[in-house]
Amino acid sequence: MNDWPEGWNDDNRGGNRYGQGSASDRPESARAMPHVQRPVPPQQPAPSQRRSAPPRQRQVPQQPGGYDDGPQYDSGYNTGQVYGGSNGGGRGGQGGGPGDGGYVQGRPAAAPDWRRRIKIGALVLVVLVLGVSIGTYFWADSKLKRDVDLSKVIERPKAGDGTNYLIVGSDSREGMTAEDKKKLHTGSAEGKRTDSMMILHDGGDGPTLVSLPRDSNVEIPSFVGSDSGKKYEGKGRTTKLNAAYAEDGPELLVRTVEFNTGLHIDHYVEIGFGGFAQIVDAIGGVELDIPKAFKDKNSGADFKAGKQTLNGEQSLAFVRTRYAFAASDLDRTKNQQKFLAALANQTATPSTILNPFKLYPTMGAGLDTLVVDKDMSLWDLGQMFFAMKGVTGGDGKSMNMPISGSTGGNLVWDKAKVKQLVEQLNNDEKVTVSSD
């Protein structure tokens, strides 16, 4: 009996009954079924025509999201590969290197560019140093007290070669407490007077430091009052040099020095008792070799012979002592020159300049108490400082103003030697004049 629908039999049913549970004792013939082929993208070869990729050279499958212009294709699998290198083997410049089929399985981290890092670090360091230096310069420059107006000085001599500084140590007690005055043996006198005066010439033939004894006999010339603006005519009056300062301050002192020497003064620098001691303490003391022991109750000096480090209090006593010496003021000026040269030499060292914990206190202590002229810059002050250091550097000279005698209490300058000395300084020549 034929169980198939009408028109169907075992020969024409066209299907494959294998696996259909047929009870036939012979295999079922294959049925002809229509073959449905999945559409192949225009740019892809037919599956039967694809060539298997060689090992490690599998073609990058089409990426979704517009990487190709044609229809998108999803293979339906994930090979676990990381696609996209840096050598241009894939789309958008993401391919792998030559021979890797456009992908990179893994890339080690690039080695750090130490040369570039060193350059950047050096640049940052330079900028930092410049910033600190510029900031320090303006900070220090702002602390200078530019109180002296040399434009008020009249009838000035012509300027020569080099630069001349008038350096004054005053007995000003400004800012000092009663305890400070007692400790430093300064007394409590009102006002201020000059305790030491020096001319420092800085030129091409080396620096020269000339001390002007405070008891020097000089003539007070005509001058214009620093405060009143009134002109006072000179009457040939002679007195001690320090009296000019006491009479009308720094401007009259400069006028008197220029009138009696013929030497043009370019800059004025003054420091008081307190500032002097503070500078010495800020750098940790000044080492001196004292050839002979001496004492002076007026200054508080009490020194043994030999090398020793002087603190601020001792240093002030050392430069102020005069009554312990036979030559009085002349011996004192020699000690002042010796000490100032040592102070400059020991301050301008790497241990001070490169140590901010020493440099800033030193600069602060000195600049707070310095009085300079209105045209004095921090650069000029630095030049003066290093010229002072050079006095003992082998190419400099220190001396007293040549003396020919005295009038009983005042020291008289040797006019012939003074004239020769001034000519050599004005011409920036090597000084051959001696103070003996």
Side-chain angles (χ1 to χ4, degrees), residues 165-179:
Y165 302 87
L166 181 59
I167 304 173
V168 175
S170 75
D171 63 0
S172 172
R173 297 156 180 84
E174 183 179 355
M176 296 176 63
T177 65
E179 183 179 353

Side-chain angles (χ1 to χ4, degrees), residues 351-367:
S351 63
T352 298
I353 295 175
L354 300 180
N355 183 355
F357 298 102
K358 228 178 185 184
L359 176 63
Y360 285 96
T362 302
M363 293 180 67
L367 296 174

Side-chain angles (χ1 to χ4, degrees), residues 173-225:
R173 297 156 180 84
E174 183 179 355
M176 296 176 63
T177 65
E179 183 179 353
D180 291 334
K181 295 175 184 177
K182 181 178 180 181
K183 178 181 178 182
L184 298 176
H185 300 272
T186 64
S188 300
E190 295 297 327
K192 58 182 181 179
R193 286 151 294 279
T194 53
D195 207 60
S196 61
M197 291 160 284
M198 303 177 185
I199 294 174
L200 175 64
H201 174 81
D202 184 20
D205 203 37
T208 301
L209 184 63
V210 183
S211 287
L212 308 176
R214 56 179 287 178
D215 293 339
S216 297
N217 192 68
V218 294
E219 180 181 342
I220 302 296
S222 58
F223 67 96
V224 173

Side-chain angles (χ1 to χ4, degrees), residues 31-289:
R31 290 182 296 180
M33 298 292 291
H35 179 68
V36 180
Q37 183 174 357
R38 190 174 184 173
V40 179
Q43 292 186 355
Q44 297 292 330
S48 61
Q49 295 177 345
R50 291 180 181 172
R51 296 176 60 187
S52 58
R56 299 180 59 81
Q57 294 186 358
R58 184 171 299 160
Q59 184 65 34
V60 179
Q62 295 292 333
Q63 302 295 318
Y67 284 94
D68 289 295
D69 297 328
Q72 304 302 315
Y73 172 75
D74 185 1
S75 67
Y77 66 89
N78 185 348
T79 64
Q81 305 296 335
V82 179
Y83 295 97
S86 59
N87 295 324
R91 293 286 180 180
Q94 296 289 325
D100 62 3
Y103 66 89
V104 179
Q105 287 188 327
R107 184 188 300 275
D113 189 348
W114 289 107
R115 182 176 296 178
R116 182 170 179 270
R117 292 186 180 185
I118 291 173
K119 287 181 179 179
I120 294 175
L123 180 61
V124 171
L125 180 61
V126 169
V127 172
L128 180 63
V129 170
L130 285 176
V132 172
S133 300
I134 293 172
T136 299
Y137 180 91
F138 284 105
W139 165 79
D141 189 72
S142 67
K143 295 179 76 68
L144 288 177
K145 296 179 181 179
R146 297 181 173 90
D147 297 338
V148 179
D149 189 358
L150 295 184
S151 67
K152 295 179 180 180
V153 180
I154 63 174
E155 302 175 17
R156 309 192 67 186
K158 182 180 178 180
D161 296 330
T163 304
N164 298 315
Y165 302 87
L166 181 59
I167 304 173
V168 175
S170 75
D171 63 0
S172 172
R173 297 156 180 84
E174 183 179 355
M176 296 176 63
T177 65
E179 183 179 353
D180 291 334
K181 295 175 184 177
K182 181 178 180 181
K183 178 181 178 182
L184 298 176
H185 300 272
T186 64
S188 300
E190 295 297 327
K192 58 182 181 179
R193 286 151 294 279
T194 53
D195 207 60
S196 61
M197 291 160 284
M198 303 177 185
I199 294 174
L200 175 64
H201 174 81
D202 184 20
D205 203 37
T208 301
L209 184 63
V210 183
S211 287
L212 308 176
R214 56 179 287 178
D215 293 339
S216 297
N217 192 68
V218 294
E219 180 181 342
I220 302 296
S222 58
F223 67 96
V224 173
S226 57
D227 293 328
S228 66
K230 179 181 177 182
K231 185 174 181 179
Y232 297 89
E233 296 294 340
K235 299 179 180 179
R237 174 169 55 97
T238 60
T239 185
K240 293 182 178 180
L241 181 59
N242 66 337
Y245 181 95
E247 186 172 334
D248 199 55
E251 288 85 359
L252 179 55
L253 178 62
V254 171
R255 166 70 174 139
T256 302
V257 170
E258 288 187 342
F259 178 82
N260 285 271
T261 63
L263 189 67
H264 181 90
I265 300 298
D266 298 290
H267 292 294
Y268 177 91
V269 181
E270 177 187 326
I271 187 169
F273 283 160
F276 182 83
Q278 289 172 22
I279 293 174
V280 175
D281 286 335
I283 67 169
V286 174
E287 185 180 66
L288 279 181
D289 187 0

Side-chain angles (χ1 to χ4, degrees), residues 341-380:
L343 174 63
N345 190 60
Q346 293 175 40
T347 303
T349 60
S351 63
T352 298
I353 295 175
L354 300 180
N355 183 355
F357 298 102
K358 228 178 185 184
L359 176 63
Y360 285 96
T362 302
M363 293 180 67
L367 296 174
D368 276 340
T369 57
L370 281 181
V371 177
V372 300
D373 64 89
K374 293 185 181 297
D375 295 327
M376 184 81 157
S377 69
L378 194 62
W379 175 261
D380 295 322

